[in-house]
Amino acid sequence: MSTVIVKNVSKHFGAQAAVKDVSFEVNPGEIFGLLGPNGAGKTTTIRMVLDIFNSETGSIEVFGGPMTEAKKDRVGYMPEERGLYQDLPLERVLHYMAALKGLSTSESKARTGAWLERFDLADHRRKKVKELSKGMQQKAQLIATLIHEPELIIIDEPFSGLDPVNTQMVKTILRELSARGVTLIMCTHQMHQVEELCDRILLVDKGEGVLYGKLADIRRRHSGHALNVRTTGPLPALPGIREHKTTNGNTTLILEENTTPQQVLAALVAAGAQVEQFEIAVPALEEIFIQVVAGKNHPAGESRP
Amino acid sequence: MSRMWVVARHEFSRHVFRRRFLFALLSVPMMLVLMIGLIAMLVALDTNRDPLGVVDTSGQFNAEIALSADAEEDRVELLFFTDEADAQAALEAGNIQAYYLLSEGWAEAGAARLVYFDEPGENATDYFEDLVRANLTAPLPSDNAQRLAQGYTIAASTPDGSRVFSSERWLDIALPILVSFVFMYIVLSASGYFTAAVAEEKENRTIEILMTSLSTNTMIAGKVIGLMGVAVLQATVWLAFAAAAMLWGLPILNPDMNLNFALSPGTIVFILVIFVPAYLMFAALLTAMGAAVTEPAEGQQLAALVTMPLAFSFYLLGLMFENPNSPVAVFFSLFPLTAPSLMPVRWAFTAIPVWQVAVTSGLLCLCALGALWLAARALELGMLRFDSKLRLREFFRRRAA
């Protein structure tokens, strides 16, 4: 059973359509990327999943049915715009957030202590939130999201303001959670983080879902008719090649329409070349994102949710 | 613990443990203590234990007559002189602070002469006057003498006897008025807390996280209860200090005062049925205003719509004193926004029909419920509105699918 099922949801603000007929599913234990440019409708979609907004059409199921007050305790949410009480000590804020999720005082104390230690914030527990650096506040916000051990976590830009060391730590935590069966929906603009962490994605643009599916499949679908090849010696002349580009010793071959990678490989072997690398060139997610959002590339047969 | 109580406890402690709140909480009692201290100092300056001279040419004055314990506290030594010249010499020598001249027939004429250079201590003149009263009533039967010493007590009663107004039941009159003033002060001074209760969370974007843990109704109920706790604490501390001031402070100012703290159950019920729903109503209305705007400062401006009628009721106090049963007085004591300040004044000066108290309380309860609904609706509609405030007609639009 999918943790989240969103079917054909729409939402308008006045005359403007914020979300148009969006559908997707998120499976247990997966890290799902919800991507899109600013104002694409990601946050509105998330707010509908969380029952902060009602959808005008379609349906949303969380843990097998509509969102309820009881189910909210099984969800952890970190919005894009951070929200902690600035004038209160960090530890008190975290205890309050934990209590709102139904944790007892003793549970809250134990978990807060452990998370503060892990995030290296234990020495700052009595400081007011406003006295913490941006990165520390980000980590505090993550603790508030995770403290009640939710089964579904929705995080918006989790790496914002974090240095490389803390970014790595957060990635490790997200992978640990996923391995434990926790479902994660991650909204971010940092495509390399999505490539590293997410199993599947939904790309939203102007309120519509424009790309949906497994990340590997999407990249494959968007790969041009090209190969990355590296040989020990000079690359021999090969038939069926339209263009080749060499950067830092790596060569990308753009193939003629009727040429297959197998034909190129056979030609290389026949020419006696010592092949060190031979792979189908797939574009980075960032390139796909830009192509799709800019409307430059909507290949035939695209999976549109 | 239910989420509502978690919110209430958080809201309560967030305000109570602020330095500025503690300062405001203790500033009123401190002022009271300071005032009592100053008055006690003035009383002490007005006390003079030097001997008092008496020239009794009539021979009728008995200085050994028994006085009450209270009167004995003012005792000064009396020095008797056979003629005024000796008394005058003693006064000039500084041996006495003043002298009384009791001429022949002073008791019948009710006249005596007091001679001094500097005004004598109030204790000395009080003591001598108590002695004179005791001398004058000495020939009467002791019961009559005692009644005369006590003075008069007037008690007015409603025909059905449900309310009795007398100086001995002063607390039935004073307490509702006192609670009314404390109520007004708390609502006017704490309006910022209420409007900021949601506006601050909107401003720092905490609201979105809270909404993934709570329903709007739970959040509003928790906030109102928490802030009500703040007001109850404030009122309790202030009233406790006021009671302490009356118990220990007034005897310093006037040792003869014998305060009776009896309070009728009707007054307690009256205070509860008026002030509890009234506070809920104001708290919820002000919270609704905070939820409808985008910044705490805007909320405070809007709060004037609710607090102005309460402040306006000050101007109607004169009317309440003069004619507490006039139609205008009755109307404004029933009108929910002015009822908590004006109904208690009417309670003090007239016998209010039970139906009027019931109608006022009922209206306040209805308005409190309506205000709670309004606050929850304002939160629901306005929680993620960061750039424009809500319009009134939006509150009553049908919910989207």
Side-chain angles (χ1 to χ4, degrees):
Chain A
M1 182 185 70
S2 296
T3 309
V4 177
I5 303 173
V6 176
K7 276 187 194 160
N8 310 108
V9 296
S10 303
K11 180 79 182 172
H12 286 78
F13 292 111
Q16 193 182 352
V19 175
K20 290 182 267 184
D21 201 29
V22 165
S23 301
F24 64 93
E25 286 186 25
V26 187
N27 300 316
E30 79 169 323
I31 304 180
F32 185 82
L34 186 54
L35 318 176
N38 293 330
K42 303 186 298 286
T43 306
T44 304
T45 305
I46 290 302
R47 285 173 180 169
M48 286 193 283
V49 170
L50 290 166
D51 202 31
I52 295 174
F53 290 155
N54 295 322
S55 61
E56 292 157 5
T57 60
S59 65
I60 296 173
E61 286 184 18
V62 179
F63 301 121
M67 179 64 95
T68 60
E69 292 301 308
K71 283 181 184 174
K72 285 181 178 176
D73 287 353
R74 298 164 68 188
V75 179
Y77 176 48
M78 191 176 88
E80 185 178 6
E81 294 204 61
R82 313 291 169 241
L84 292 176
Y85 295 95
Q86 296 291 308
D87 280 332
L88 296 181
L90 171 62
E91 197 174 31
R92 210 171 122 198
V93 173
L94 294 176
H95 285 324
Y96 179 51
M97 295 297 175
L100 288 179
K101 289 292 188 183
L103 260 62
S104 67
T105 309
S106 57
E107 280 175 318
S108 167
K109 277 185 181 166
R111 290 190 198 175
T112 303
W115 277 113
L116 287 172
E117 288 290 343
R118 182 156 189 192
F119 275 106
D120 204 19
L121 288 173
D123 292 341
H124 306 281
R125 64 177 69 209
R126 296 194 202 292
K127 278 188 186 168
K128 287 183 179 174
V129 172
K130 68 181 175 191
E131 292 165 359
L132 303 176
S133 70
K134 196 180 167 197
M136 286 176 178
Q137 288 193 33
Q138 176 74 353
K139 290 194 282 183
Q141 193 83 54
L142 271 164
I143 296 175
T145 310
L146 304 176
I147 197 160
H148 58 292
E149 295 182 352
E151 295 162 55
L152 168 64
I153 297 171
I154 300 173
I155 37 177
D156 213 339
E157 295 295 348
F159 307 106
S160 165
L162 295 180
D163 60 35
V165 174
N166 283 311
T167 299
Q168 194 53 47
M169 182 177 60
V170 171
K171 277 189 214 168
T172 306
I173 289 168
L174 296 183
R175 284 197 192 100
E176 279 175 14
L177 291 166
S178 174
R180 287 210 318 250
V182 175
T183 310
L184 288 117
I185 300 177
M186 186 170 80
C187 298
T188 181
H189 293 114
Q190 297 181 32
M191 295 301 150
H192 60 286
Q193 310 290 12
V194 175
E195 284 177 319
E196 211 175 315
L197 290 167
C198 293
D199 308 309
R200 296 189 310 125
I201 62 158
L202 170 69
L203 174 62
V204 187
D205 185 35
K206 293 176 183 162
E208 291 180 280
V210 290
L211 268 182
Y212 174 54
K214 281 191 176 173
L215 191 55
D217 293 346
I218 289 170
R219 289 179 69 184
R220 203 173 303 118
R221 281 201 304 270
H222 282 78
S223 61
H225 202 36
L227 295 169
N228 289 331
V229 176
R230 193 171 64 237
T231 55
T232 48
L235 196 66
L238 296 166
I241 304 297
R242 187 159 51 107
E243 188 186 341
H244 71 270
K245 299 174 197 165
T246 303
T247 318
N248 297 330
N250 294 316
T251 304
T252 301
L253 304 175
I254 314 292
L255 312 188
E256 297 280 0
E257 189 124 337
N258 298 326
T259 310
T260 65
Q262 285 72 23
Q263 288 170 333
V264 176
L265 182 61
L268 277 169
V269 172
Q274 294 287 310
V275 179
E276 283 186 337
Q277 183 193 12
F278 184 89
E279 65 179 14
I280 293 168
V282 287
L285 186 58
E286 191 159 344
E287 290 172 49
I288 301 172
F289 180 92
I290 293 167
Q291 282 172 10
V292 172
V293 170
K296 288 179 182 168
N297 187 14
H298 277 231
E302 187 70 83
S303 170
R304 287 175 68 97
Chain B
M1 190 189 292
S2 95
R3 306 295 154 88
M4 186 182 75
W5 291 109
V6 171
V7 176
R9 193 180 64 177
H10 173 77
E11 206 63 33
F12 179 81
S13 57
R14 194 153 79 99
H15 288 97
V16 164
F17 298 117
R18 276 183 184 173
R19 220 170 287 162
R20 69 176 185 218
F21 175 82
L22 291 173
F23 181 76
L25 182 72
L26 296 176
S27 62
V28 171
M30 287 303 120
M31 282 286 289
L32 216 57
V33 168
L34 197 69
M35 272 171 58
I36 291 171
L38 275 172
I39 295 170
M41 199 173 76
L42 290 173
V43 169
L45 286 173
D46 229 14
T47 301
N48 189 341
R49 297 287 176 187
D50 287 348
L52 193 63
V54 180
V55 183
D56 178 21
T57 53
S58 69
Q60 293 175 342
F61 184 74
N62 177 11
E64 303 303 320
I65 201 161
L67 292 180
S68 69
D70 282 346
E72 282 293 343
E73 284 181 11
D74 290 334
R75 175 182 276 278
V76 291
E77 187 188 357
L78 295 181
L79 296 179
F80 284 86
F81 299 94
T82 49
D83 60 53
E84 191 177 354
D86 291 345
Q88 185 69 29
L91 181 65
E92 285 171 9
N95 296 331
I96 54 173
Q97 54 177 307
Y99 66 87
Y100 279 97
L101 191 63
L102 299 172
S103 313
E104 200 66 47
W106 65 270
E108 291 76 22
R113 190 153 63 91
L114 174 64
V115 180
Y116 59 84
F117 294 129
D118 296 318
E119 197 168 333
E122 205 175 313
N123 62 311
T125 54
D126 283 352
Y127 176 63
F128 188 79
E129 285 165 16
D130 284 334
L131 278 174
V132 168
R133 273 191 213 100
N135 272 272
L136 292 173
T137 56
L140 299 173
S142 64
D143 283 359
N144 292 359
Q146 210 174 347
R147 287 290 309 278
L148 269 172
Q150 281 174 348
Y152 58 83
T153 303
I154 296 174
S157 170
T158 54
D160 62 358
S162 60
R163 295 270 324 261
V164 177
F165 298 83
S166 78
S167 57
E168 286 185 346
R169 304 304 294 253
W170 64 275
L171 204 53
D172 281 334
I173 295 167
L175 191 64
I177 295 179
L178 187 64
V179 174
S180 159
F181 277 98
V182 169
F183 177 89
M184 278 198 277
Y185 184 81
I186 286 176
V187 169
L188 293 175
S189 63
S191 61
Y193 296 152
F194 295 114
T195 50
V198 176
E200 260 179 25
E201 277 157 352
K202 279 178 73 176
E203 196 179 44
N204 64 27
R205 305 295 197 257
T206 319
I207 195 91
E208 198 171 352
I209 298 169
L210 297 181
M211 284 301 101
T212 58
S213 306
L214 298 162
S215 68
T216 49
N217 289 342
T218 306
M219 186 168 161
I220 287 294
K223 280 182 174 293
V224 168
I225 289 171
L227 290 171
M228 202 157 170
V230 175
V232 167
L233 173 72
Q234 216 168 6
T236 306
V237 169
W238 290 353
L239 289 173
F241 266 87
M246 278 191 269
L247 274 171
W248 293 298
L250 284 180
I252 295 172
L253 308 182
N254 186 354
D256 298 336
M257 188 176 277
N258 190 14
L259 284 176
N260 180 353
F261 286 97
L263 189 62
S264 69
T267 303
I268 297 169
V269 172
F270 171 80
I271 288 172
L272 290 176
V273 300
I274 297 296
F275 289 106
V276 172
Y279 189 81
L280 257 176
M281 179 190 70
F282 275 102
L285 277 177
L286 291 165
T287 307
M289 286 171 171
V293 298
T294 53
E295 285 175 21
E298 269 185 281
Q300 292 220 33
Q301 289 165 6
L302 211 56
L305 288 175
V306 172
T307 53
M308 277 292 278
L310 201 61
F312 162 76
S313 59
F314 272 110
Y315 294 99
L316 293 171
L317 285 179
L319 176 71
M320 294 289 153
F321 295 147
E322 281 173 21
N323 193 353
N325 290 321
S326 70
V328 177
V330 172
F331 174 80
F332 281 107
S333 66
L334 296 179
F335 182 62
L337 290 177
T338 49
S341 53
L342 296 179
M343 193 55 127
V345 181
R346 285 189 64 216
W347 177 266
F349 292 101
T350 188
I352 305 174
V354 175
W355 72 263
Q356 286 187 13
V357 177
V359 167
T360 306
S361 179
L363 283 173
L364 285 169
C365 287
L366 281 176
C367 288
L369 289 173
L372 282 169
W373 174 84
L374 209 63
R377 186 92 173 111
L379 183 61
E380 187 186 338
L381 293 169
M383 64 181 157
L384 297 173
R385 190 85 72 84
F386 303 123
D387 50 0
S388 63
K389 58 186 169 211
L390 284 175
R391 294 179 188 285
L392 194 61
R393 64 171 180 270
E394 290 180 71
F395 282 75
F396 302 100
R397 254 186 221 156
R398 220 160 58 83
R399 244 167 255 239

